[in-house]
Amino acid sequence: MELTDEPMAEMACTVNGVPVRTRVPLRQSLVDWLRHGIGLTGSHVGCEHGVCGACHVQVGGRVVRGCLMLAVQVDGEVVETIEGATASGRIRALQEAFFARAALQCGFCTPGMLLQAAELLAANPDPSRTEIREALSGNYCRCTGYHAIVDAVEAAAARLRA
Amino acid sequence: MSPDTSLPENGWIGRPLPRAATRRLIEGRGRYTDDHAAKGELHAAFLRSPFPHAAFRIVDRDAARALPGIRAVLVAEDLAGLCRSWRCESRAFPGLVSPEQGPLARDRAVYQGEPVVLVLADSRAVAEDGLELIGIDWEELPAVTDAAAALEASSPPAHQGLASNLGWRTEFGDGDVEAAFAVAALVVETQLTFTRHTGVPLEARAVLASYDPSAEALEVRLSHQIPHQMQVHLAELLGLPMGRVRVIAGDVGGGFGIKMHVYPDEVAICAASRLVGRPVRYVCDRIEAMMADIHAREHVMRARMAVDAEGRILAFDLDDIQGLGAYSVYPRSSTVEAMSVLRAVGAPYRFDAYRARLRCALQNKVPTGQYRSVGHPIGCATTERLVELAARARGEDPLEFRRRNLVPEAIMPWTNPAGGRMASLSHAACLAEFERLVDLPVLRAEIAAMRAQGRCVGLGLAAVVEYTASGPAAYGLAHVPVAAMDTVVVTLEPTGDLVVRASVAEIGQGIQQGIVQVVADAVGIATSRVTIHTGDTGNAPHGGGAWASRGAAIGGEAAWGAGRKLRAEILAAAAALLQSAPERLNLRDGQVIDATGMPRMALADLAATVFFRGHELPAGLQPQFTATQQYRREEDVFLTTNGFQASLVEVDTDTGLVTALRHWVVGDCGRLINPLLVDEQVRGGVVQGIGEALLEACRYDAGNGQFLTGTLADYLLPMADNAPDITVGHVETPYAGSVLGAKGAGEAGTCGAPAAVLNAVNDALASLGAHVSEMPITPAVILRALGTLEAAP
Amino acid sequence: MKPARFGYARPDTLDGALAILAEQGVEAAILAGGQSLMPMLNLRMARPGLLLDINRIPGLDAIALSGGVLTIGARARHAEVLASPLVREAAPMLVQALAHVAHPAIRNRGTLGGSLALADPAAEMPACITALGATLVVASARGERRIAAETFFLGVYATTLEPDELVLRVEIPAISPGWSHGFHEVARRHGDYAMAGLALALHREGSRVVEARIAFCGVEAATRRQAEVEAVLVAQGAEAACAALAGLDAMAGAEVTAAHRIHLARVLLRRALGQA
C-alpha cells in the first residue's frame, strides 16, 4: 500500500534467499521495512539510535544495525534476517545452546544476539569468555545478566569445534 | 499411594528444564505487540511536553490536519467524553496528594514527556511530521527537581494550586528508639543518596487498540504484565462492561515493573480508537520510553543504627525523602515503593526498636512506581552499610556481626519493630551454604594477593530479606483493585492432552514453564502433553499477572489445585469404567495404572470415550474434565525469603572506574519449581542491581529541570562487558503454608546486589581512608571521595 | 523516532557526487556508514534536504601501502581497517584504537572518513590521524585539496571541510624504526565514546624520547597536536609533561568536569609513557 505523498524509491534485493523487487519509502529504515514491509518481524526495534542491537540483520554477509540503514540502501544487496539464518541451519548450534542453557528469557534481544554471536564464532572459533563478552558488548539484554549467554556461546563454540 | 498433597518423587517439579516457549523465540518467531497488524490501522504519535513544568495553549491544529496522511489531531477535550480522568487514591496512604490525571494533559504539563496532543496518521513518520505543525504556546513555569528542595517552604510548586509539594508523609515504628540510642554502646549513621533510574525493558511499551463500534467492544494488544488489571481499568475509564474489553498481552519483551501501571498514553490510544472507530497502533520509541516510563528509587536516606556492647543491634532510626514525581502512579501509588524501602531496613536482623519518618515529594518529573524489587535495594543497602560501619567500628569480621544478629529460627514467627513479619527464614542454613560456596578463606587470600600487587579490590556482603507474593490484604485493605489471587483452569482434551488457562503472566521469567511442570505432576502426565495459555483476558481467567514474584507461589497453588481436581475426575471416571475404585488407581505419564503399577487405560482412550462414546459410561457418571482452582493465600501478607550476596570489585583509583569482578548469591525462596529458570532470574536481577550501583542515573539540569539522560548513549545500561560471572546457590525450605511451598524468586537478586557492590567499593576504599555514599558510583564519585577531584558544589 | 523527509541520491561516480555537493552545499548530508548520521536523522536533529549516498562510488575504500605511505580510502569500513595487515604494519595505532570504537555491527558499516568529517571530540579516529601526522585528501567540483590532520579539526562537529567537499582518502606516513604507537582510553563501558583518550607516537633513542606526537580525544573540543606537551616531554620528561597538561582547554560538563578530563589526560599520559 502506498501512502499519499510519501517519497518512494524502487529497490531490488535478496532477502533470505528470495529476490524482492519493491518500492520503499525513502526514509524507512531497513528494520522497519523488513518488519512491516515484508512481514519479517523476527528482527526487533529497541532504540533507533544504534545502541541496543535488537535490530541486527546481515547485509552482504556482515552483521549491521538494521535501524542505522535505510531500506533503499540494500538495493542490490543480499540480506539475511534471523528467519533466514534459522532456515539455513547455520546458527543451529547457537540456538540449541541458547535454548538448553536458558540464555534467553523474554527473547526480545535474542535474534540480534544470535546473529552477533554467529559472526564472532565465524571469525574466532574458540573465544574466551572475555572475548565473548566484548563481542556481545553492543547487544543489550535486560533479562539474563549475560552470564547464561556467555555460557551458551562457549558451549556452541565447543560443539562446533568438535 | 502418596497422600494427595504430597509431590511425586522424580516428578516434573524441581527439574531444571529449559522453557519450552523459547523454541519460538530463538527462531525469531516471537509475537510481540508491534508484530501484529490490524486492518485499517492508524499510527499514533504524541506531542509531549518539552518542559518539566509549563502552561500551554494549543493555538493551531489546522496546519497539522491539512498534511496529507494525517487523520486526526486530538487534545484532552476530544477524549473527555469517552474517557474518565483518574486520581490515585489508596486507604493505605491517608492524605495522599495526587492530582487528577487524564489521558492527555489539559492546560498544564507537570513533567517533561507528559502527553499533550495525540496525532493519528497513515504512518508513524507522517504522524511525527504532523506533530511539528501543531501550533502551541508554551509558558514555562519553575521546575521542581530536587526532592529535598521540593519540600522546603520556599520551593515553587510542582503543581500550581497545591499548597506544598508534600505528596505524603508518615512516621511509624515500634519500641523506644530514644532509649535505645541513649544506652547504645555504639551508634553508626549514614546518609545515602540513591539516584532516580528506570527499568528499560528492551521492548518498549506498545499498544494496538481496536474498538469495534458495531459491537461496542474494545480489543487491546498491549505489552503489559497484568492484562486483567488493564481490563478492569480500561473498562472503568472508558465506561465499557468488562465483558466487552479484551486485553491481550502476547509475548512481552521484558517488564520489570515498568509495565504494570496505567499509563495515560496507553489509555489515550484506547480512547482514540473508540473515537475514530479504527485500530490505532502506538509504539513508544526509546526517547519517549526514557522520559515517560515510570522511574524509580529516588531517595535520600538518613539512617542511624544503635548497637550494644555485645554487638547486638538495638534500633534503627530512619529519615527518608522520596522523589515521587508529578503524580502517584495509578492505581497502586508511588508511595508503595517508599514503604517497601522502610520495611526492608533491618529485615534480616533482630532488633528492639524502629522509627521511620518518610516524606514523599512531588516533583516535575515523570511519576515513579514499582521497579523490580520495589524499594528493597534501598532498604537493604542502607541496612548493610550500617552493618559494615558497625563491624568496622567494633573491629570485627562483618560476617560475624551479621551472624550474631540474624533473626534466629527459635523466635520465628516474629514481627519486627518495622512491622515486618519474619517466618520460616533459613538464615543459618543459607549462611552455611553461602560460606561453603564463596569459600571466604580462599577468597580473602586471593584478595590479599591482589592487594599485594597494588590492586584496589574490595569484598562486600549483603544479607537479603525480600517480601514476595503479596497477599490480598496488601492492596485489599487499601481499597485498590489489585488481584492478589490467581485462577487456573485445566482441561483434558479428547486426545488425552491437557490445556491450561492461567491468570499468571509470562514476561520472560518462565512462569508458563513452571505452571506446566506443576500441572504435569498434579495430574500425572508428561509436560510435552500440556499446553498453556496466558495473557489474553478473552480466555485466561482473572488473576494477578506478574508482579511481586508471585507466579509460582500463588499461580502455582491454583495450578496444583486445578490439576488435582482434574486428576480426581479422571480417576473417578476410570474407576467406574474399570470397575475399580479411585483410591486403587493412579495416573502416571498419561496412563491410568493400578496399585501394582500396571497400566490399565491410556488417558487418551478415557478421554475419547468420555467425549465421543458417552453412551458407554455408567448411568450417573458425569465426568468434569475441566477443572478450576481459584487461590488466594489466607495467611501471611507477604512471603519473606532470605539470602546472602557477595560482590568482589576492583577500583581503578586513577580513573575512578569500578569493575564488578565476581558475584555470589545464595538464597532460599522455598521450593524451586524449576531451578534453571530461578537461577537465571537471580542473575538477571543481580545485573540490574549492578547497573543501579554503578551506571544508571536519570539526571536533570539543576537550573531548568530538563531531562539530560534521555537516550541510551547517555543513560548507561550494563552490557555484557560490565557484568561479572555470577555464582548462584540455593537452600530449599518449602513454605509450610502451601502445598508446593514455593515463594517468590525473581527479585531477590536485585534486592541485594547494590548493597553488596556499595559495601565492596567501600571495602576497597577503606585502606585509603575514603568512602562513597551515593549511587550510582560513577568515576567522579570515586575521584571526589579520594580527593582527586573537588567535591561537587 | 522517524526521520523528516529528505531527497536521496546515490551517484555511481565521484564526479556525480561532487556535482551534487556543488549544487546542494549544506543542504546535502553525506551518507557513508550512517552510524552517526542515521541516529541524528531519526532524532530529527539533522534535517538535510538531500541524503547523498556515496556507497556506490568505486575506489573510495581501498587500503594500500606504498612508498612509506599508508593510504586508507575515506569509505573504508572500520572493520576492514581493523583487520588489515597493512594497517597493522604501518599504523598500529589505528588497530589499537579501533578495538575501542563502538561494537562489531557499527564497525561493519562505520567509515574512517565519516568519523573524521563528523569530528566528534570524543571519537578516537580524529585523535589518531592527528597523532599520526596524516594528510586528508578532499575533493570538490573545484578540485582536490590536501589538508594536514593537525589543522583539520576546529571544534565540536566543526572541521575545515567546505560544504561542497568530500573526504577521499587519508594518507598516513608509515611507522618508522625507532617509533612506537600507542592508544589508550578511559570509558565507562567497552565501545563507549571516550571520557578521555590518548593517541601517541613516540620516537625513542634508547630510553629517551626524542620526538613525540600527542593528541587527545574526549578532552578538548578541537582535536589537535599537543605541541607544548610534546616539547616538554622531550625536554623534561614524563612527569613534567603530565604537569603541562594543566594547560589543556578541557571541555566543561555536568557529568564530567573539565578538571576531571584533565586528570584523566594525565593518567593516560602517565600510563602510556610508563608502558611503551
Side-chain angles (χ1 to χ4, degrees), chain B residues 454-471:
Chain B
R455 295 172 67 180
C456 182
V457 295
L459 178 67
L461 306 176
V464 170
V465 167
E466 177 96 21
Y467 296 84
T468 72
S470 314

Side-chain angles (χ1 to χ4, degrees), chain B residues 644-678:
Chain B
F644 295 94
Q645 296 194 22
S647 163
L648 179 68
V649 306
E650 179 159 11
V651 179
D652 182 330
T653 51
D654 287 330
T655 64
L657 289 171
V658 177
T659 304
L661 297 175
R662 293 285 310 277
H663 205 98
W664 297 260
V665 180
V666 169
D668 187 346
C669 56
R671 185 179 311 279
L672 299 168
I673 307 295
N674 183 321
L676 172 64
L677 301 185
V678 170

Side-chain angles (χ1 to χ4, degrees), chain A residues 27 35-36 42 46 49 92 95-96 99 101 105-109 114 129 133 137 140 142-143 145-148, chain B residues 18-19 22 26-28 32 34-35 129 198-200 286 371 508 680-681 684 696 712 718 720-721 723 725-726:
Chain A
R27 57 177 166 167
R35 288 174 51 73
H36 301 296
H49 48 286
R92 181 102 311 249
Q95 287 168 314
E96 288 300 324
F99 174 79
R101 183 57 194 82
Q105 293 177 26
C106 82
F108 204 75
C109 77
L114 285 168
R129 290 180 76 82
R133 286 183 180 277
S137 62
Y140 172 52
R142 195 50 146 172
C143 294
Y146 306 104
H147 182 136
Chain B
R19 203 183 127 211
T22 54
I26 54 176
E27 297 195 358
Y32 305 89
D34 190 52
D35 297 342
D129 294 343
T198 183
V200 200
R286 186 54 60 192
Y371 166 46
E680 298 317 315
Q681 281 290 290
E696 299 182 43
L712 297 188
D721 61 300
D725 279 351
I726 300 161

Side-chain angles (χ1 to χ4, degrees), chain B residues 754-785:
Chain B
V757 173
L758 176 66
N759 282 343
V761 170
N762 280 331
D763 182 53
L765 296 179
S767 62
L768 299 166
H771 72 276
V772 299
S773 53
E774 67 181 277
M775 292 190 198
I777 305 165
T778 66
V781 168
I782 295 282
L783 293 178
R784 287 196 295 264

Side-chain angles (χ1 to χ4, degrees), chain A residues 1-6 27-28 32 35-36 39-49 51-55 65 82-84 86-87 91-92 94-111 113-114 129-130 132-151, chain B residues 16 18-23 25-32 34-36 67-69 71 122-123 125-126 129 197-204 251-254 256 281 285-287 371-372 506-509 676-677 680-681 683-685 687-688 691 696 710-713 715 717-727:
Chain A
M1 186 190 74
E2 201 152 301
L3 302 169
T4 316
D5 208 48
E6 183 74 35
R27 57 177 166 167
Q28 187 173 49
D32 277 352
R35 288 174 51 73
H36 301 296
L40 292 171
T41 56
S43 312
H44 300 139
V45 174
C47 75
E48 295 180 301
H49 48 286
V51 176
C52 75
C55 63
R65 310 279 215 209
I82 182 68
E83 292 92 340
T86 299
I91 59 171
R92 181 102 311 249
L94 276 166
Q95 287 168 314
E96 288 300 324
F98 269 58
F99 174 79
R101 183 57 194 82
L104 68 155
Q105 293 177 26
C106 82
F108 204 75
C109 77
T110 307
M113 195 75 74
L114 285 168
R129 290 180 76 82
T130 302
I132 294 170
R133 286 183 180 277
E134 231 173 67
L136 298 181
S137 62
N139 286 83
Y140 172 52
C141 174
R142 195 50 146 172
C143 294
T144 68
Y146 306 104
H147 182 136
I149 292 175
V150 178
D151 285 353
Chain B
R19 203 183 127 211
T22 54
R23 283 233 168 267
L25 304 179
I26 54 176
E27 297 195 358
R29 288 180 179 274
R31 299 289 279 159
Y32 305 89
D34 190 52
D35 297 342
H36 295 270
L67 193 65
R71 301 298 167 200
D122 292 342
S123 74
V126 170
D129 294 343
H197 55 283
T198 183
V200 200
L202 184 54
E203 184 213 12
D251 288 324
V252 173
F256 316 113
R281 169 194 303 274
D285 68 35
R286 186 54 60 192
I287 307 302
Y371 166 46
R372 196 173 198 171
E506 178 62 67
I507 51 173
Q509 84 282 48
L676 172 64
L677 301 185
E680 298 317 315
Q681 281 290 290
R683 290 193 169 100
V687 173
Q688 280 187 292
E696 299 182 43
T711 75
L712 297 188
Y715 186 95
L717 291 159
M719 307 297 276
D721 61 300
N722 309 113
D725 279 351
I726 300 161
T727 305

Side-chain angles (χ1 to χ4, degrees), chain B residues 420-439:
Chain B
R421 184 164 181 280
M422 302 300 143
S424 328
L425 297 179
S426 61
H427 288 306
C430 260
L431 193 49
E433 177 58 19
F434 179 75
E435 290 184 275
R436 190 196 67 77
L437 196 73
V438 177
D439 199 345

